[in-house]
Amino acid sequence: MYLKKSLIAVCAILALAAFTHLWNLVGFPEIFYDEGVYLRRASNVIQGLGPQEGVYYDHPYFGQLFLAGLYYITGFPSSLGTQANSDSIANLFLVPRLFMAIIAIFDTFVVYKITQKKYGTRIALFASAFFAVMPITWIMRRILLDSILLPFFLLSILFAIYSKDDRRFVLASGACMGFAIFTKIPVFTMIPLVAYLIYVGTKDKKLIGLWLIPVLILPMIWPAYSILVGNFEQHWLHDVFWQTQRNRIGLLQVTAAFLAMDPILFILGFSGIILAVVNRDRFMLLWSGPYLIFLGLVGFVQYFHWMMMLPVICIGAAQLVQKIGDRSKNPKYDTAPFLGIAMFGLVCTTLVISTNLTMTQFEAAAFSANLVKQNPNSEILANPVYAWAIHNTLRLSSVPKDYSVVLFGKMPSRYVLVSDPHFRRDISSGEQLPEILNSTTLVKSYPDIKTRYNLMSYPYSNLNYCHDADVIEIRTSK
């Protein structure tokens, strides 16, 4: 009977995860600059251009290879229409966002299995429910490397736990960790956690060595390729170190962002982690400690870098809520704290994900595409979101990858400029960007769509972190 109730509860949690990640799929959040970069790189792989783009080495290759594989399986984007209207533009982002939603639902199930193995079914249900419905989990909707690596990292943990009963899972765990690091390097901070789980489960140090083989070999493909083409010293080393220090957005700022987006989960989760560490829970300590130290040391941190921490934060919150519930004098009400928090989180998340922040982006992309269609000699200067969408709508091979091309080459004589929030933030990157802006005439302007909502009230304060949903100007060269 208990097993049947647990199964029903898990199915209900997965249904909630499906709702929070599939509802209003392309309407929220706005399409972020980096999403356009990764979509373009995956398109390059499909077109036979390879995973490396130019001589800039910012991240390993598995993210674009993984997306390209999904492109190939689904026939995307060639299976879609090529009309230059906002609906066609929206459809271009629908399929990749759907990929991310499916991954997030799968992540929810893996979080449940990990927590069940470590702490029992009750805490597993609490943790996976928080992971499914709490407001900050909207960050997993974005098409980012962090979203792509998360299932591989979680599977590496789960397989390491399973290796206690079947040592064949050691290599599977290592392969998943290798692919996660081959997606984004900071996952290396989780190596002590998974190695610890394998040693505790098997009591065999040799198996840790076996596990390390794919963990090290797969990510080494990235620097090995740069050595092969002669770019290791001049570009790879320089770009990797620059990537960590390019802006001074540190741990304090992104901690403030987490607290603003989801104060309940932040307080409960970190309180639970601190309590677990006091109780010498090495699993929680090794998951959170090295990664937090890494975020504190590097100079460039974004709010979505919390993604790898979200599962352990939800586990910490679940443990704390369980302890609070256990203090209830009436056993009938011991789940009341959990249900209250989960319902509050679901309501807040529903309000946030029901907003529409992409409408003006799609309209601006469609309008720009039609301008280029009417003026074939003009080039598009825009961030990768618009450039990728217009390229795949009009099938134009001459669309520059983004506006930064003018910093390193000749400025076009005729162009359409999409002056969006990201372009305006980058305006100081070089004298060429102000020059192309000052040499244009405003054709059409789209307002800041976030002003429809009260950004000072919770949970709409989450929209403050949708930075690219702001005023968009379409300009043409004089």
Side-chain angles (χ1 to χ4, degrees), residues 10-21:
V10 170
C11 291
I13 289 168
L14 294 178
L16 288 172
F19 168 73
T20 57
H21 291 287

Side-chain angles (χ1 to χ4, degrees), residues 84-334:
N85 57 52
S86 58
D87 289 337
S88 291
I89 301 293
N91 286 335
L92 280 172
F93 293 97
L94 175 63
V95 176
R97 283 275 177 98
L98 180 60
F99 295 155
M100 298 304 106
I102 294 170
I103 287 173
I105 296 166
F106 177 75
D107 291 340
T108 305
F109 179 72
V110 182
V111 168
Y112 168 79
K113 293 302 295 182
I114 290 171
T115 316
Q116 183 190 39
K117 281 286 185 179
K118 291 295 295 181
Y119 303 106
T121 300
R122 188 181 178 85
I123 293 179
L125 291 173
F126 289 5
S128 56
F130 290 153
F131 190 78
V133 304
M134 295 306 286
I136 196 173
T137 56
W138 69 258
I139 65 178
M140 293 189 289
R141 287 172 156 244
R142 293 201 184 279
I143 309 157
L144 297 173
L145 298 181
D146 306 75
S147 309
I148 294 169
L149 70 85
L150 190 57
F152 293 94
F153 163 58
L154 292 174
L155 282 175
S156 180
I157 294 175
L158 184 62
F159 290 155
I161 295 171
Y162 283 162
S163 67
K164 179 179 181 180
D165 301 316
D166 189 342
R167 297 189 175 188
R168 288 176 296 182
F169 282 106
V170 170
L171 273 179
S173 173
C176 288
M177 178 60 78
F179 282 124
I181 299 173
F182 192 31
T183 304
K184 203 168 183 180
I185 292 300
V187 193
F188 82 90
T189 57
M190 301 298 177
I191 288 177
L193 165 66
V194 185
Y196 164 77
L197 291 173
I198 288 175
Y199 178 72
V200 167
T202 64
K203 305 298 182 183
D204 190 340
K205 293 181 180 178
K206 292 181 180 179
L207 288 179
I208 297 177
L210 180 66
W211 176 79
L212 281 171
I213 293 173
V215 170
L216 298 177
I217 288 178
L218 287 170
M220 287 299 293
I221 295 172
W222 186 37
Y225 178 83
S226 70
I227 294 171
L228 185 66
V229 297
N231 288 331
F232 181 74
E233 291 186 8
Q234 184 178 0
H235 294 288
W236 191 89
L237 285 175
H238 170 270
D239 292 345
V240 168
F241 285 107
W242 178 85
Q243 180 74 3
T244 63
Q245 302 295 329
R246 54 179 168 157
N247 280 312
R248 298 308 303 180
I249 303 175
L251 181 59
L252 286 178
Q253 288 94 326
V254 296
T255 301
F258 191 156
L259 185 59
M261 285 191 275
D262 202 336
I264 300 297
L265 184 62
F266 180 90
I267 294 169
L268 290 174
F270 279 100
S271 298
I273 290 174
I274 292 170
L275 183 63
V277 171
V278 169
N279 292 331
R280 299 182 181 180
D281 186 331
R282 292 186 178 89
F283 177 77
M284 303 284 282
L285 174 62
L286 291 173
W287 191 327
S288 55
Y291 187 63
L292 288 175
I293 292 170
F294 175 80
L295 293 183
L297 291 175
V298 299
F300 181 67
V301 186
Q302 293 266 43
Y303 64 87
F304 50 78
H305 291 160
W306 284 115
M307 218 175 291
M308 275 205 299
M309 282 285 293
L310 283 183
V312 72
I313 289 170
C314 290
I315 294 170
Q319 290 178 314
L320 185 62
V321 170
Q322 160 105 340
K323 290 183 182 295
I324 294 171
D326 288 344
R327 291 175 177 267
S328 173
K329 295 180 180 179
N330 190 336
K332 292 182 179 180
Y333 301 114
D334 60 354

